[in-house]
Amino acid sequence: MRVLITARVPEEVLSLIRQDHETEMHHEDRPIDRGKLLEGVEGKVGLLCTITDRIDTEVLDVAPALKVIANYGVGFEHIDIDGATQRGIPVTNTPGVLTEATADLAFALILATARRVAEGDKRVRQGKFQYWAPLLFLGQDVSGKTLGILGMGRIGKAVARRAAGFGMKLIYHSRTRLSPIEERELGASLQPLETVLREADFVTLHVPLTPHTRHLIGSRELELMKNSAYLINTAR
């Protein structure tokens, strides 16, 4: 089975695939060029792609032998699912593998923005830090503040668990409400979107990209937020 891999992947992954298949891999970190993608997928039976690859009708049409599309990641909006289904090509993804990592990143961004870590780091690296002053890079507390979570799925709940360690008040808005037991365990309260935006000191996004969530946050929503609030986006 001939497989096209559109990005460099860990050696462990590559070795596993090569046990049973002949592979062709894009060896650069930058996304594969469109022309190389179309040329490379011809005659392939398997395609391992990433979020940066647009797998649309054009790609599917030049690869009639394709039997499987394996997405290296969770989100799959870059793949024409309907087109693949019509051709009998299964599409796989990796739900759950990035839950804790993404939650770590989201909370790291909460801390970094509140405490102005990037600004201070830049000042030091530029050799401009000369003295401490009471108001120099004075940030905001995270402990005890209100965290608004938009999208309380796997990642949203993982962020909520981290927030508990900082004694944060948790409010959330989500398509599906948590069970009473989960709400009690997380200390989270379901609220309308407008309430979350108005009351939260930090708003963190954890929703998939769908027609319903596209442009979820626009000028109207930003105007509802506190002037002192922070918006963290680790979703699409």
Side-chain angles (χ1 to χ4, degrees), residues 72-94:
Y72 192 83
V74 180
F76 50 84
E77 62 272 6
H78 57 293
I79 301 173
D80 182 357
I81 300 297
D82 291 338
T85 301
Q86 291 170 6
R87 293 167 173 79
I89 305 171
V91 177
T92 68
N93 68 334
T94 58

Side-chain angles (χ1 to χ4, degrees), residues 9-24:
V9 296
E11 185 59 37
E12 295 87 346
V13 176
L14 189 59
S15 297
L16 187 63
I17 297 173
R18 283 177 171 169
Q19 287 179 9
D20 300 300
H21 310 295
E22 177 185 343
T23 62
E24 178 182 330

Side-chain angles (χ1 to χ4, degrees), residues 31 55 58-59 64 78 93 101 108 193-194 212 216 219 224:
I55 310 303
E58 184 181 23
V59 173
H78 57 293
N93 68 334
L193 175 61
E194 291 76 10
H212 178 70
L216 176 66
S219 58
L224 290 174

Side-chain angles (χ1 to χ4, degrees), residues 126-152:
Q126 290 177 337
K128 295 181 179 180
F129 179 77
Q130 298 177 338
Y131 48 79
W132 173 86
L135 300 182
L136 183 63
F137 292 120
L138 182 64
Q140 299 287 333
D141 284 335
V142 174
S143 297
K145 292 298 179 69
T146 298
L147 176 63
I149 299 177
L150 302 186
M152 194 63 100

